Amino acid sequence: MQATGTIVALSTPPGRSGIGVIRLSGADSLPLTRLLVRDEQFSPEPNRATLKTLHDPESGEILDRSLVTFFKTPHSFTGEDVTELSCHGSPTLLLHVIDILLRHGARAADPGEFTLRALSNGRLNLSQAEAVRDLIDARTYAAVRQAARQLGGEMSARLQPIKSSLLEIIVPLESSLEFVEDDLPEDVTRDVANKLSLLAHRLEDLAGTFRAGRLLKEGLKVALVGRPNAGKSSIFNALLSSDRAIVTDVPGTTRDTLNEVLNISGVPVLLTDTAGVRVSADKLEQLGIERTRRAITDADVVVVILDGSQPPTTEDREVLAHAREGRYLIALNKSDLPAFSPDRFQEVLDGARPVTVSALSGAGLDTLRAAIMEPFASYESFEASFVVTNARHFDLLRRAADSVRSSEALLIEQASEEIVLVGLYDALRYLGEITGETTPEDVLTQIFSTFCIGK
Ligand code: GDP
């Protein structure tokens, strides 16, 4: 994890594009740039783009016309000398330029190494570095906004007063350890215990926002299940046609189900149609119930689709029985047909209230959307408030809260200050791990391994 040498990487995605940006960071950034522009005196004004011709330093061949921007240490993303070469976005050209830089002493950057250097040089704290990754990976604009807030330092700004309050409690406890032989007076103990309880509350409240934050970041997994011809694919397509998110790659996509990401009020909704890709009619029949089972296990919410124009079938009952194992909703489809008759379903619904929809006319789809999001009714407030979106932060906040709670309990039980202090120091350390002051090296390595090369 030692930041040594000058690193190079392509900072734009691989593939053909209008421009491709190669980034260099380290003491040799400028000498290496001079080599490419074939001008030993090249002294670009920092932070200003200059149009330069790049050459192969050995053969002298012209490589490209490129916009060269130099950022002088410490005023760069990494805090080191940085050069960005905006070349034409030819993968062959970009690899060739990177190859030349590698031959002349640069080293290929590890995943996230630019951001890691920014962290090592105090340009960012750890939660901000993680926000860089989250911003790049965000699947909805609401997630982008949360990452931007974290990048702006909001997490550390929220933790700072909590840490200060902890220290305000720790200091007198420490001094009473040194100077007072007797126990703390009862009123002081009560006062400290109250303060600890308030602190634990604040930590728990912040940790509690993760329920919303996780949803915002990872999305809500919704599976559409039902017997063949109930209208799963039609509802899937009807929901998609209005809400499809820009990004459609879903991690863990299976071949026999269709997955898409919808954007419902800023929340990425990962919708799975268990009718799946229609390889053949028999395969469809065969896979039906097994696939339904699997989808139900994976989903946060299951939408059981019933054909309201037909009497309920054994298959309908079977699907419902499986769905009842988790959170589920019922959509009674085909409300546009004259044969539509919800009454027939009374008995199979077992008291559950279905949402009446028509995939064909679009009737009821808004109600269905609202029903899917119902437990997250406060999701609109994501827009306004800061939420914890990172599982690591959540875990540390919870551990800090637990440590403060246990110190509070020990204090009330009149345990020695020494023992009370252990939990308080633990809490401080956990909070420090969020922003990186006390994060163990192996955790840092693990965090940065989730970054892409070039970040
Ligand atoms: P799946 O097998 O559950 O995915 O069902 P499909 O979406 O393929 O629908 C089966 C049949 O029902 C198709 O012919 C659809 O056009 C039709 N269908 C689906 N939803 C509706 C609806 O709301 N109204 C009407 N009238 N037909 C529908």
Side-chain angles (χ1 to χ4, degrees), residues 226-235 237 273 275-276 278 284 305 307 333-337 357-362:
R227 65 174 169 83
N229 281 325
K232 295 179 292 296
S233 301
S234 304
I235 290 182
N237 288 323
D273 171 10
R278 301 188 163 197
L284 185 73
I305 296 164
D307 181 344
N333 189 31
K334 309 197 187 182
S335 64
D336 57 288
L337 290 178
V357 298
S358 164
L360 194 73
S361 73

Side-chain angles (χ1 to χ4, degrees), residues 145-156:
R145 286 191 22 193
Q146 285 299 333
R149 291 175 80 147
Q150 199 176 312
L151 184 59
E154 196 158 337
M155 176 57 102
S156 25

Side-chain angles (χ1 to χ4, degrees), residues 45 181 232 256 270 312 329 368 383 386 398 409:
E45 190 183 329
E181 286 299 311
K232 295 179 292 296
D256 55 358
L270 279 53
L329 296 168
L368 181 60
E383 300 288 320
F386 178 75
R398 212 177 35 177

